[in-house]
Amino acid sequence: MTKRLSIGVRLTLSYLLIFAVGQCIFGLGMWFILRHNLYDIADDTLEGQIDDARHFLEAQRCDASVSKLQEEVNETYVLEHSGDYLQIQDEHGNWIYRSSFLQQHNLPVVSLNQLKNPSYEDRRVGHRPFRFLSATIDVYGRTFVIQTGIPENDILRTLGLFRRYLLTFAALMLLAASAVGYWLSRRALAPVDDLTRTARNISGTNLSSRLQRLNTGDELQRLSDTLNEMLARIESAFLRVSQFTADASHELRTPISLIRTEAEIALRKSRNELEYQESLRHILQEAERTSSLVEELLSLARADAGRESLDIRRMNLGDTVRQIAIKWQHAMASRQMRFTSNVPVRDVYVVGDTTALSRLLNILLDNAVKYTPSPGTIELILEAENESAVITVRDSGIGISDEDRPRIFERFYRADKARSRELGGAGLGLAIAEWIITQHRGRVTIESTQGQGSSFFVTLPLQNAEDAVFEHTQG
Ligand code: ADP
């Protein structure tokens, strides 16, 4: 693969290209203007010479013979420079005047028939460049062909010099422009190099480092700010994961060490069958607790990785709540808890995953039971209003303090760690519940008074029978 040129070099090259094209257009334009002007001046001189000749011929007698004219013209022009490259012929081919230079090189005269209008011509005579003007003039009924020329040496020399200066100057300008262009692009891109350098040094161990904050007020500042915001997000995600791992290991350590201690004590000396049974019961209890903790951890890890797939479809929430109510009715009966449920007879359709919503209800009801000292009351209510279905789980338990309320959905957060653990909780239930609610595009609110009880309200969007397919996106 060919290595691409750096942005700095590419910018400089494009800048140079544009500059060079601009210079070419400017140089060529100037050269043509100068050339045009120089030839204009030369043409003016030639026209002046023709006019002079006309005036001179007009000043002669109208019946002057050819030889008389020859004599007069020669007398005047031989001494004048304007006659150096002049030749005049009358309509019969008689030479009225012919400068010695033109005679020497025998410049052919333009025939009368060809010369309708004055004509300019560049030609070399005797290896020297000339510009000639040929014209006919009528004087007293006689027609003369006049040709006069001026050397083009000066014009060509001026143009040559101009070209040389232009080329030298252009090369110097191009050099200067490339240096300045490169310097400018380096200066403009220097912050990018700085950003790259700092970014290269950021790794998992120093995620708190930030890119140098630029105050340029341009795209680069926006870039560095955006990257810094991204780093902040990555850092907090990274910290959350590290915290989660640390908390998870900590939570797992307790039951495992309890299992180990229980087994060690049991094995220390020989015991009777009852004692062994008691130990194994403890071990089993802790093992069950551990496996449910591992189950919860796995759920959250899969959810984080976006791999916890839900079977989302149109479902009758009424049926699900009713089934859960029946299950809990039996469980509560044995615990001196008064459990009431209120589910509408009509269908309440939502789009969701039956298993996940059952799990959500189990978590909320399990908490209600755990944090309500018996005898107490627990209610499970389903209502359908306007666009939403609202599930309420209400208990008459210990309640949640104002400080704890915003935090109870955090992973491993427990208002009373000891009590929660004693009741078999690891502080993950509500985190899982919240994830399920979010996946169903719902929301949850809590009302609670300490010592009097808590109410959890879960609101889910209703799905009307006619509604189109629910496009579920997992977050
Ligand atoms: P846990 O396994 O500890 O029950 P959860 O995530 O389900 O974890 O709940 C987090 C914390 O929220 C609990 O430890 C408890 O302090 C508080 N909590 C949850 N539900 C209730 C409730 N119905 N009444 C009082 N406190 C509750």
Side-chain angles (χ1 to χ4, degrees):
M1 210 176 84
T2 49
K3 198 166 178 277
R4 290 206 64 175
L5 295 172
S6 75
I7 294 183
V9 173
R10 274 188 283 158
L11 271 178
T12 314
L13 287 179
S14 339
Y15 169 67
L16 269 189
L17 187 73
I18 294 168
F19 193 82
V21 171
Q23 255 193 342
C24 276
I25 294 172
F26 174 79
L28 276 173
M30 292 309 283
W31 191 80
F32 276 111
I33 290 171
L34 178 68
R35 186 174 180 278
H36 182 78
N37 282 341
L38 289 174
Y39 276 100
D40 255 6
I41 295 169
D43 292 349
D44 282 350
T45 313
L46 291 171
E47 280 160 24
Q49 286 177 1
I50 298 269
D51 279 349
D52 285 350
R54 179 206 308 278
H55 293 144
F56 183 83
L57 290 170
E58 281 169 354
Q60 306 305 311
R61 286 171 58 106
C62 59
D63 55 352
S65 65
V66 171
S67 56
K68 180 71 184 155
L69 278 177
Q70 280 174 339
E71 190 184 320
E72 290 292 330
V73 177
N74 267 304
E75 222 168 76
T76 312
Y77 276 103
V78 159
L79 297 174
E80 273 195 35
H81 282 308
S82 57
D84 286 355
Y85 310 107
L86 176 74
Q87 58 185 16
I88 307 173
Q89 204 175 45
D90 71 4
E91 69 233 274
H92 306 296
N94 301 315
W95 287 110
I96 306 299
Y97 176 78
R98 202 176 198 198
S99 73
S100 56
F101 180 79
L102 295 186
Q103 199 166 7
Q104 196 181 328
H105 293 97
N106 200 17
L107 178 75
V109 77
V110 186
S111 86
L112 250 181
N113 310 337
Q114 290 170 352
L115 205 60
K116 296 275 177 297
N117 296 310
S119 87
Y120 296 92
E121 183 192 9
D122 296 301
R123 67 185 299 164
R124 300 189 82 81
V125 180
H127 303 298
R128 285 171 58 193
F130 283 90
R131 184 162 178 82
F132 283 100
L133 172 59
S134 309
T136 56
I137 51 175
D138 294 318
V139 181
Y140 305 129
R142 294 160 77 175
T143 307
F144 298 93
V145 178
I146 305 191
Q147 274 182 292
T148 180
I150 50 169
E152 280 183 339
N153 289 4
D154 287 348
I155 297 180
L156 295 179
R157 194 176 325 113
T158 310
L159 282 175
L161 267 177
F162 183 74
R163 204 167 40 228
R164 201 168 325 133
Y165 285 138
L166 209 63
L167 287 178
T168 319
F169 188 65
L172 286 175
M173 284 288 283
L174 221 57
L175 258 170
S178 53
V180 171
Y182 189 69
W183 178 74
L184 277 178
S185 66
R186 290 301 322 142
R187 216 173 72 126
L189 293 171
V192 176
D193 287 343
D194 286 348
L195 293 185
T196 316
R197 252 195 311 280
T198 339
R200 202 170 282 152
N201 290 330
I202 296 178
S203 67
T205 48
N206 61 347
L207 264 181
S208 54
S209 332
R210 291 288 174 272
L211 301 175
Q212 180 195 346
R213 189 162 194 286
L214 300 175
N215 284 315
T216 44
D218 54 12
E219 293 87 342
L220 289 178
Q221 182 178 344
R222 274 209 303 285
L223 176 71
S224 77
D225 288 352
T226 313
L227 288 176
N228 277 336
E229 284 160 20
M230 188 185 78
L231 276 174
R233 285 198 299 275
I234 293 177
E235 187 192 8
S236 84
F238 197 80
L239 284 178
R240 263 204 318 274
V241 172
S242 321
Q243 187 63 44
F244 182 63
T245 318
D247 288 343
S249 325
H250 184 77
E251 287 302 325
L252 282 169
R253 204 170 56 182
T254 317
I256 288 171
S257 61
L258 278 176
I259 291 173
R260 201 176 136 184
T261 318
E262 190 71 47
E264 275 170 5
I265 292 172
L267 290 174
R268 205 165 283 165
K269 58 181 178 135
S270 74
R271 297 172 191 276
N272 62 33
E273 197 185 327
L274 257 174
E275 282 173 326
Y276 280 130
Q277 272 182 3
E278 178 69 0
S279 290
L280 282 174
R281 212 168 42 75
H282 282 154
I283 288 173
L284 181 65
Q285 197 181 10
E286 284 306 324
E288 276 169 355
R289 197 175 277 186
T290 313
S291 68
S292 80
L293 173 60
V294 168
E295 207 51 55
E296 285 179 334
L297 286 174
L298 259 177
S299 266
L300 283 171
R302 274 202 301 264
D304 284 345
R307 279 193 284 117
E308 182 77 309
S309 57
L310 296 181
D311 184 14
I312 297 276
R313 60 181 69 199
R314 189 161 177 268
M315 56 169 280
N316 186 355
L317 188 60
D319 288 347
T320 310
V321 177
R322 226 170 277 124
Q323 280 166 19
I324 296 284
I326 294 167
K327 189 185 116 189
W328 281 89
Q329 190 86 53
H330 295 305
M332 305 254 191
S334 56
R335 298 195 196 190
Q336 282 195 303
M337 287 282 185
R338 205 166 73 81
F339 178 74
T340 55
S341 65
N342 191 348
V343 184
V345 186
R346 70 181 181 87
D347 295 338
V348 179
Y349 281 107
V350 295
V351 175
D353 178 329
T354 315
T355 318
L357 288 176
S358 304
R359 189 174 187 189
L360 163 71
L361 291 173
N362 283 331
I363 291 171
L364 295 179
L365 286 167
D366 186 45
N367 278 348
V369 174
K370 277 197 296 191
Y371 302 108
T372 304
S374 58
T377 54
I378 290 168
E379 285 172 83
L380 172 63
I381 305 164
L382 172 65
E383 289 159 306
E385 49 181 50
N386 303 328
E387 308 272 280
S388 0
V390 183
I391 304 167
T392 309
V393 176
R394 181 171 293 132
D395 64 55
S396 61
I398 58 169
I400 307 162
S401 71
D402 291 346
E403 302 85 67
D404 291 329
R405 212 173 305 150
R407 301 199 57 193
I408 55 171
F409 289 97
E410 288 174 21
R411 294 172 184 191
F412 299 107
Y413 186 81
R414 285 165 284 187
D416 182 343
K417 230 173 165 126
R419 182 200 284 249
S420 163
R421 202 191 127 60
E422 199 180 301
L423 297 167
L428 291 177
L430 286 184
I432 295 173
E434 191 187 36
W435 181 79
I436 294 172
I437 295 167
T438 316
Q439 291 302 297
H440 285 81
R441 296 179 180 177
R443 66 195 149 76
V444 59
T445 46
I446 305 169
E447 279 173 15
S448 181
T449 314
Q450 265 195 297
Q452 290 186 18
S454 320
S455 301
F456 284 74
F457 303 97
V458 176
T459 312
L460 300 174
L462 270 182
Q463 170 83 4
N464 296 323
E466 320 80 61
D467 276 3
V469 187
F470 175 74
E471 284 173 35
H472 176 75
T473 46
Q474 274 195 341

